[in-house]
Structure formats: C-alpha cells, structure tokens
Amino acid sequence: MAGKAGFCYGVKRAIEMTLAAAAEEKGPIYTLGPLIHNPRVVQDLAQKGIKEINSLDQVDGGTVIIRSHGVSPEVFRQAADKGIKIIDATCPFVGRAQKFAREMAEKGLPVYIVGDPGHPEVQGILGWSGGKGIVIENADQISQVDHSKVGLVAQTTQPVANYQGVVEALKQQGVEVDARNTICLATGERQRAALELAKQVDVMVVVGGRESANTKKLAKICRESGTPTYHVESAAELQEEWFRGVKTAGLTAGASTPDAIIEEVKRRMKELDQMTNGEEEMKDAMEV
Ligand code: F3S
C-alpha cells in the first residue's frame, strides 16, 4: 500500500459535512455538481436523498452543498436571492487561493491563475478575481505582459514545477510577481508515494473514479515508471491474469476514493493471489 493514499483532508471534510447535513436538515438537500468523483459515493448519497444539481436554477429552496472545489461568489449571491441555504464545504486550501485572488484584485492587480481552465476549482477562483483573472496553463502561454506587477495563485493540484515555470517566465519579462504558492501538499505526497511504490513492485493497482483527474494522474505516474498499472473503480474489475506470476503488487488510491473501496480491492487482490500464485506454487511442489 502506498504510504499516502485515498481521501485527502478536503474531500473527507466535504463528505462529513454532507452526511451531517443529511442528518440535521429538514428540507431537500442538493450538491452543486457531484460531491466527489466517485460513482459509489454519489450513489450512496442519492440513496440518502441527496440529489446532484448542476445549477441553482434547478431549485427554489432547500439546502445546497458547495463541494471542496469551491464556487464563484456569484453562486452565493444567487443562493441568497433565492432563499437557498448554503453549506460551504469548499476545502480551506482552495478557500485560501480564492482569498488571495480577491485581495489581489482589490489591490488592482491582474490575477494570474495557474491551472486547468476547464476545472471547476479554477472557474471558482476566477470568479473571486473580480474580472481581473487570467488563467494560464503553463509557461508557454506567457507572451507580452502589459503590466509591471501581477498577482499569481495556483490551482491546488498543480505540479510545483509548472507553477514555478510560470513565475519564472513572468519574471524574465521584467514583471514583478506577487506569487502565492497555493498548491496543496496532499496531491504531491500521494504522487510521490505512488511512484516510490511503483518502482518496487511488479504490478500496480490504482483505485478511483474513472473521471477523477487525480486518480488518472496517479495511474499515469505509475505507468510511466515502467510498471504495468491498472486503474479500477472497484474490486469487481480486478482480473486474475494481472497477478499471475507476480511476486509483489502495489496499491494506491485517488483522493476521492473511500477507505471501504480500497479495503475491498485489497481483499480481492489477496484472494486472487491465493487463486493464481497459490495454484502455481502447488504445481511446482508437485513437480518436485
Ligand atoms: Fe483540499 Fe488538497 Fe484535497 S486542496 S480537496 S486537501 S487535494
């Protein structure tokens, strides 16, 4: 098992806040977008009566949970206008990036946001930048900068090297950069632990939602180490032949994968080991 794997602080907190709301709130409860990228968790929440909506336009009241990615201030305004109660489960690390963006914009600085323009977290930070936000994916996108000073924050899951590359590219243009490293350690720690383990084992299994960006990234890192790697959502997807003749198998999980699913996968891997390699050992013993 990788040293760091599974739920990060912000995801765990968002789930706990949602479950507490389900127990306490009287009216309907919704999450704005899937609470986390794990189909099993989303199904469990649906069974508890927590529905997913894509926009506040879809509801006229009740309670809406803001997931760990956060949202733009416009969503809070719209909720207040419609009398919708908001439970804000924005991860505090994301909240920090939003706060810096707001402060920089208030000072009149353009706010560079290093991240994926399509990601909801980046869209949220953009909203807090008061119309002064500019999303930059990497240093190659820095060309002529018309400002002598800019503010800069990063999507929490950005690789540090990418963030540093953008800061350097701006400095090389003679721009003064008020750079705030808002990258969360959880992602890097999980990636380092996964790579370290992948280098030591014969096969890697990565558990997590197929749509989960951080799980896909973990699988990519493991694969790039040269170790055969399989990305599964559940124990049912594991296949016997992946473990045939394998001495050591490694396991890691994305930040949105519940412990229960990780445990199920681990148990099934042990069963498959017994079934495949146990048989081989028995055959070898009989031949001797
Ligand atoms: Fe928060 Fe970091 Fe997780 S920003 S949601 S603790 S990956």
Side-chain angles (χ1 to χ4, degrees):
M1 189 76 209
K4 290 267 181 195
F7 275 176
C8 63
Y9 164 76
V11 164
K12 195 161 176 250
R13 178 175 171 271
I15 290 178
E16 283 167 3
M17 286 172 80
T18 306
L19 295 177
E24 287 160 18
E25 298 295 327
K26 297 272 176 296
I29 304 177
Y30 310 96
T31 65
L32 190 54
L35 188 66
I36 60 172
H37 280 136
N38 190 284
R40 177 104 63 98
V41 174
V42 172
Q43 265 170 28
D44 287 352
L45 293 175
Q47 271 168 8
K48 289 186 167 63
I50 302 168
K51 291 194 206 95
E52 182 190 321
I53 53 167
N54 297 317
S55 151
L56 293 189
D57 295 336
Q58 291 171 258
V59 292
D60 285 318
T63 301
V64 171
I65 293 160
I66 304 298
R67 55 190 177 167
S68 57
H69 297 320
V71 290
S72 80
E74 182 49 35
V75 173
F76 291 96
R77 274 194 288 273
Q78 200 188 348
D81 289 347
K82 294 185 82 169
I84 295 167
K85 178 174 176 184
I86 289 281
I87 292 182
D88 185 6
T90 303
C91 174
F93 297 118
V94 175
R96 198 170 147 256
Q98 294 174 342
K99 179 174 159 282
F100 286 145
R102 195 194 67 214
E103 289 170 356
M104 288 162 175
E106 282 169 0
K107 280 189 209 154
L109 292 177
V111 184
Y112 278 66
I113 306 161
V114 185
D116 168 2
H119 195 282
E121 180 191 327
V122 173
Q123 291 299 319
I125 299 172
L126 200 52
W128 288 94
S129 309
K132 294 191 176 304
I134 301 159
V135 183
I136 294 286
E137 283 182 272
N138 52 53
D140 297 343
Q141 290 180 349
I142 302 286
S143 51
Q144 196 64 43
V145 182
D146 298 330
H147 304 88
S148 54
K149 184 172 179 184
V150 303
L152 184 140
V153 296
Q155 182 181 354
T156 53
T157 48
Q158 276 292 295
V160 180
N162 196 43
Y163 158 83
Q164 282 166 342
V166 175
V167 174
E168 279 315 309
L170 284 163
K171 284 186 177 165
Q172 271 167 21
Q173 296 236 0
V175 180
E176 187 186 338
V177 191
D178 179 1
R180 311 295 173 99
N181 182 346
T182 48
I183 296 168
C184 159
L185 294 180
T187 311
E189 280 172 357
R190 276 158 183 70
Q191 292 176 355
R192 270 191 298 278
L195 178 62
E196 212 172 282
L197 182 61
K199 286 181 187 160
Q200 295 167 29
V201 298
D202 306 314
V203 63
M204 271 302 284
V205 173
V206 183
V207 201
R210 213 140 343 256
E211 297 309 317
S212 154
N214 78 84
T215 311
K216 284 194 276 190
K217 183 81 204 235
L218 282 178
K220 185 168 178 268
I221 289 171
C222 294
R223 223 167 266 133
E224 282 171 1
S225 76
T227 302
T229 300
Y230 302 99
H231 176 176
V232 298
E233 267 186 7
S234 70
E237 291 169 40
L238 294 169
Q239 291 177 29
E240 223 178 295
E241 66 257 27
W242 298 348
F243 305 101
R244 198 157 284 141
V246 159
K247 273 208 161 44
T248 325
L251 177 62
T252 188
S256 47
T257 312
D259 287 350
I261 298 182
I262 303 174
E263 279 310 312
E264 266 173 39
V265 170
K266 203 190 223 175
R267 251 198 320 274
R268 183 68 187 142
M269 282 168 74
K270 284 186 177 156
E271 279 170 20
L272 290 172
D273 177 43
Q274 282 300 315
M275 282 161 66
T276 53
N277 301 322
E279 265 172 26
E280 298 284 320
E281 278 164 23
M282 188 128 51
K283 249 193 260 157
D284 288 350
M286 283 166 78
E287 276 166 17
V288 171

